Amino acid sequence: MDLTIPKDYDPRLSIRETEAAIRYIRETFQDEFGKELNLQRMSAPMFVEKSTGLNDNLNGVEQPVSFEMKDMPRETVEIVHSLAKWKRLALKRYGFKMHEGLYTNMNAIRKEEDLDNFHSIYVDQWDWEKIISKDERTEETLKDTVRDIFKVIKHMEHEVWYKFPQAVYHLPDEIHFVTTQELEDRWPDLTPLEREDKIAKELGAVFVMKIGDKLQRSGKPHDGRAPDYDDWSLNGDIIFWYEPLQRRIEISSMGIRVSPESMKYQLEQAGATDRKKLPFHKMLLNGELPYTIGGGIGQSRLCMLLLGKAHIGEVQASIWPEDMIKKCEENHIQIL
C-alpha cells in the first residue's frame, strides 16, 4: 500500500456535491466523447468464458476473479480485466462500418492491483473501439485521435468550471508526444515511472508512445502490455502532471490494434504463442476481424483529475485497508 497525503488538503466539495459532480462529468463526457469520435454506446459483459480468450491478460501474470455457473459446470467464467479484445469482435458481430465505433461503460475487478491514490481493485472506464482502414494504421492516425480525446477532456474542464468553479483543477492547453525510447535515452538511470513523472512535470500533458517492446539500452519494456490487442509500435498512454499529488496521473491507455503480422510477432516475444489456438486469436490471424483503434479512459480517474481530488476513493466506492481509510479521514480525504 502506497499513500500520498497532500499538505493542507481541502476537498472543496462535500460528499453530496462531489456525487453530483461525478454524475455530471460521467454523463456529459461520454456524450461529447461519443460524438467527437463517432462512437455508439453499446452494452458489454462483466464476465466472459475463459475458453474464448477474450479477457485482457494485462501483464500476463495477474489472475482474474473466476467462478463456475450452475448451468455451465465445466466452463470457467472470468470477471473481465478490460474489454480490449471483446470490443473488436463486437464491431464485426454488430455490423459496424468503416470509421464507426462503439464505447461501453466497463466495470472490472483487478484483485491483484497495488492500492494507492490512483489505483483500486474496482476499475471503471469507458472502453472504446473504432474501425479504421489498413492504410490508417499510422502514427498520424494515432496522434490525431489523441488530440481529439484531449480536446474533449479540455472542454470538460470548462464545463465543470461553469458548474463547480470552486473545485475544478485546471489543465494545460496542449498535449505533447514522446516515445519510451526517447525517455530512456534522456534519463537512462531513472525507472520508467520516474521518467514519466519528469516529462509530465515538464510538459503538463503528454502521450507516451510505444509501450510493450524492449528498449534499446536496458533491453526491458518501458511497461508491460498484453501482446494480443495493442500494436506495441502504435500505442501509448495519455498522462497529465497532477499538482495536488506531485506526480503523473494516467487517464487513458490506447492504441492502434494488432494486425495479424504484429500479433504473431508480439506473441512470440511474449512467449505466448499458445494463444494462437484460442477462438479470438484464430479469427484475427485469419484476417477475419476489422482493423481498429481503441482504448480505455478511466472514469474515476477523469473525475479525480477534473475535481482535484487526492484519492480515487473520493470518486468511487471500493474497498480499502482500514489503516488507509483512517489516515485519509485524519487528513480530510473523504473516502466514499
Side-chain angles (χ1 to χ4, degrees):
M1 184 184 75
D2 180 22
L3 179 64
T4 298
I5 302 294
K7 185 179 179 181
D8 300 324
Y9 176 66
D10 179 3
R12 299 183 183 178
L13 297 176
S14 69
I15 288 180
R16 292 184 63 181
E17 289 171 332
T18 297
E19 290 282 11
I22 292 169
R23 177 183 176 184
Y24 178 74
I25 292 169
R26 290 178 184 239
E27 292 181 352
T28 307
F29 179 85
Q30 68 180 12
D31 288 343
E32 296 192 3
F33 171 65
K35 290 176 184 176
E36 183 67 33
L37 269 67
N38 193 30
L39 308 175
Q40 179 181 350
R41 188 195 180 283
M42 302 292 288
S43 300
M46 184 179 289
F47 31 78
V48 295
E49 297 101 318
K50 181 179 180 180
S51 60
T52 63
L54 285 176
N55 205 356
D56 184 349
N57 295 88
L58 300 178
N59 292 314
V61 296
E62 297 89 346
Q63 293 298 311
V65 177
S66 62
F67 59 94
E68 290 186 359
M69 296 169 54
K70 183 180 70 173
D71 290 336
M72 297 173 61
R74 287 180 290 276
E75 179 68 70
T76 299
V77 179
E78 296 179 343
I79 304 291
V80 297
H81 279 147
S82 85
L83 296 168
K85 297 193 283 288
W86 176 89
K87 294 174 295 181
R88 192 168 179 178
L89 182 61
L91 290 175
K92 175 182 173 63
R93 287 179 57 205
Y94 300 152
F96 281 76
K97 306 300 182 183
M98 183 64 63
H99 299 143
E100 294 180 339
L102 62 83
Y103 74 89
T104 72
N105 286 304
M106 193 282 295
N107 296 293
I109 298 174
R110 297 181 183 175
K111 66 184 180 69
E112 297 187 26
E113 195 71 78
D114 294 322
L115 303 183
D116 59 22
N117 297 68
F118 297 137
H119 292 88
S120 165
I121 64 167
Y122 171 57
V123 181
D124 55 343
Q125 64 186 32
W126 291 285
D127 255 348
W128 66 276
E129 199 84 8
K130 182 177 180 178
I131 296 177
I132 59 174
S133 69
K134 185 176 182 180
D135 292 341
E136 290 174 311
R137 298 186 73 259
T138 64
E139 281 193 14
E140 181 180 4
T141 299
L142 179 63
K143 289 181 177 179
D144 285 346
T145 307
V146 169
R147 292 187 186 102
D148 287 341
I149 295 172
F150 180 78
K151 181 172 70 174
V152 179
I153 294 174
K154 274 295 293 181
H155 187 248
M156 278 305 306
E157 175 198 339
H158 296 298
E159 295 288 319
V160 175
W161 178 84
Y162 181 76
K163 291 186 72 72
F164 305 95
Q166 75 277 30
V168 71
Y169 176 72
H170 294 288
L171 307 177
D173 294 325
E174 183 181 359
I175 190 164
H176 304 264
F177 297 86
V178 65
T179 67
T180 54
Q181 189 59 59
E182 289 170 336
L183 293 181
E184 185 186 52
D185 291 343
R186 186 171 177 185
W187 294 296
D189 297 329
L190 299 183
T191 67
L193 283 181
E194 289 170 341
R195 294 171 198 152
E196 290 190 4
D197 277 338
K198 284 276 192 180
I199 199 68
K201 186 172 185 179
E202 179 180 308
L203 299 177
V206 62
F207 186 64
V208 178
M209 302 171 60
K210 300 187 177 182
I211 300 174
D213 215 344
K214 295 177 182 177
L215 298 173
Q216 294 173 4
R217 288 173 176 262
S218 65
K220 299 178 181 179
H222 176 83
D223 195 6
R225 283 295 186 275
D228 47 11
Y229 56 92
D230 278 354
D231 187 318
W232 292 343
S233 65
L234 291 167
N235 69 350
D237 292 342
I238 297 175
I239 65 175
F240 291 83
W241 175 249
Y242 195 51
E243 197 69 30
L245 295 177
Q246 289 293 296
R247 66 172 78 169
R248 40 77 86 192
I249 179 173
E250 177 192 324
I251 294 299
S252 175
S253 177
M254 58 174 286
I256 290 174
R257 304 311 198 185
V258 285
S259 63
E261 297 78 15
S262 60
M263 188 172 81
K264 183 179 178 182
Y265 164 78
Q266 291 177 188
L267 289 175
E268 291 171 353
Q269 292 297 305
T273 55
D274 57 311
R275 296 187 199 175
K276 293 180 182 180
K277 301 175 183 178
L278 297 170
F280 171 86
H281 300 71
K282 283 183 179 179
M283 292 182 70
L284 199 151
L285 291 169
N286 290 335
E288 298 173 22
L289 296 177
Y291 292 103
T292 62
I293 183 173
I297 300 174
Q299 296 183 11
S300 291
R301 291 271 186 96
L302 182 62
C303 292
M304 184 180 176
L305 173 69
L306 292 175
L307 297 174
K309 296 295 187 179
H311 195 287
I312 198 168
E314 294 179 274
V315 291
Q316 65 158 236
S318 185
I319 294 177
W320 309 97
E322 282 298 324
D323 54 342
M324 179 181 279
I325 294 173
K326 182 179 179 181
K327 193 168 184 180
C328 286
E329 288 177 347
E330 291 170 351
N331 291 275
H332 312 293
I333 298 173
Q334 303 168 328
I335 300 296
L336 300 182

